[in-house]
Amino acid sequence: MRTDITNILPEECISYILSLTSPTDVCRSKLVSPVFRSAADSDTIWGKFLPSDCYDIISNASSSSSSKLLTSSMSKTQLYFHLCKNPIIIDNGTMSFGIDKATGKKCYMLGARRLSIAWANTPRYWRWKRVPESRFSEVAELKEVWWLDVKGTIETKILSPNTTYVAYLVYKFSSSRYGFEKKPVDLHVELGESDAGRTFRIFLDPSANIPQFSREREDGWMEVKLGEFFNEHGDDGKATCSLREVDNYTLKKGLIIEGIDIRPKDSR
């Protein structure tokens, strides 16, 4: 006759054991029994899965009221799942912070205002505007350029250690677009000064007979992989992500940039 472990161990012990696994394993354990389901909802577990500096990051939220709401009215379990689905805006509205549901590791998006975009403040070439589907207050819309150069950098020390990160350009096209079906763009990610990285060349708006590397996100935007890097201890300085097309012979217009999403590999 088999002994039911839930008749021997108190729920607190089961919660502690589950906290030594992963968020995915904890969610699966809910199917075992009602006792496991109750133990899996414990703040003891989800508090350990939250990043250690989570509350410090939340305190830097753009809205003090939202920061207060998250820290004071939500349990750690509620906060974990809230941040998985609802990234918060930080750093004066230029970045967002969330966590990966499967691992609890940090996810950031660099908003368009945080990026280095050549000619971004020249009204002839770029226009800043609000769109309701963006998490940020402004996005950048390309009016026309020959020289396209977009870069974003992030300090590796704020990312989760021992994690492979992937950077994605988050974008869409306006109804009037041109040039991206004619000329490929260079996508690149490099880590610190010692890693030259790898460059990919793709069409952002390919014709029917050319492979499509972009995909639609759940939020309605498109994303394309810029590259990836391994963050070991967070002491590599900065990771730099870029999009370029600078031959000066192809006019381009209609690209709308929301930002650069940086999240753990295989998180979706």
Side-chain angles (χ1 to χ4, degrees):
M1 181 177 179
R2 293 183 178 180
T3 302
D4 187 345
I5 190 175
T6 61
N7 293 328
I8 301 175
L9 293 178
E11 185 176 308
E12 293 79 7
C13 289
I14 297 175
S15 293
Y16 175 75
I17 293 170
L18 291 175
S19 72
L20 302 177
T21 62
S22 70
T24 300
D25 290 332
V26 173
C27 290
R28 289 172 178 165
S29 75
K30 292 184 178 184
L31 301 175
V32 175
S33 72
V35 174
F36 267 79
R37 189 179 307 115
S38 177
D41 287 331
S42 168
D43 265 13
T44 301
I45 296 176
W46 298 102
K48 290 188 176 181
F49 291 150
L50 286 169
S52 59
D53 57 349
C54 180
Y55 286 95
D56 290 334
I57 296 172
I58 291 173
S59 68
N60 191 29
S62 295
S63 170
S64 58
S65 60
S66 67
S67 174
K68 183 177 181 180
L69 173 65
L70 287 171
T71 56
S72 64
S73 68
M74 289 186 178
S75 67
K76 292 178 181 178
T77 304
Q78 291 172 326
L79 178 60
Y80 184 95
F81 288 101
H82 181 86
L83 291 175
C84 292
K85 295 183 178 180
N86 304 280
I88 61 171
I89 305 301
I90 60 174
D91 283 7
N92 297 315
T94 64
M95 290 180 67
S96 71
F97 163 74
I99 56 177
D100 176 45
K101 183 178 180 180
T103 63
K105 294 185 176 183
K106 300 176 185 176
C107 305
Y108 288 94
M109 186 186 289
L110 311 176
R113 276 293 185 189
R114 198 178 183 90
L115 305 180
S116 172
I117 303 176
W119 314 107
N121 294 317
T122 304
R124 173 184 172 186
Y125 302 120
W126 290 88
R127 179 165 72 105
W128 293 92
K129 68 177 187 177
R130 295 175 179 268
V131 294
E133 61 270 25
S134 176
R135 67 183 66 177
F136 298 107
S137 61
E138 287 183 302
V139 298
E141 180 177 7
L142 175 60
K143 296 175 71 174
E144 63 171 19
V145 293
W146 284 267
W147 182 287
L148 178 66
D149 191 353
V150 180
K151 291 181 181 178
T153 61
I154 189 167
E155 296 278 356
T156 58
K157 65 183 180 182
I158 72 172
L159 300 173
S160 298
N162 300 312
T163 303
T164 298
Y165 275 92
V166 184
Y168 297 87
L169 177 74
V170 182
Y171 72 98
K172 61 175 55 179
F173 286 110
S174 67
S175 57
S176 176
R177 63 183 189 258
Y178 181 82
F180 293 98
E181 80 289 357
K182 296 178 176 293
K183 195 74 176 179
V185 295
D186 290 336
L187 312 175
H188 186 79
V189 171
E190 62 183 60
L191 182 62
E193 298 180 355
S194 59
D195 177 22
R198 180 182 175 188
T199 299
F200 299 89
R201 180 166 289 181
I202 68 159
F203 286 90
L204 272 186
D205 189 22
S207 55
N209 61 335
I210 296 178
Q212 169 70 265
F213 291 95
S214 303
R215 64 183 179 186
E216 186 173 358
R217 295 160 51 98
E218 292 181 357
D219 58 11
W221 291 82
M222 298 294 293
E223 69 177 17
V224 64
K225 179 180 176 180
L226 299 175
E228 62 184 64
F229 62 94
F230 180 69
N231 184 46
E232 187 171 8
H233 303 299
D235 54 4
D236 291 305
K238 297 179 180 180
T240 302
C241 318
S242 63
L243 162 76
R244 302 185 81 213
E245 202 294 292
V246 295
D247 71 0
N248 270 348
Y249 294 103
T250 304
L251 182 67
K252 295 165 283 292
K253 67 178 182 178
L255 177 67
I256 303 173
I257 298 177
E258 183 181 34
I260 293 178
D261 198 12
I262 301 171
R263 62 180 190 260
K265 189 175 184 179
D266 297 330
S267 67
R268 297 186 186 177

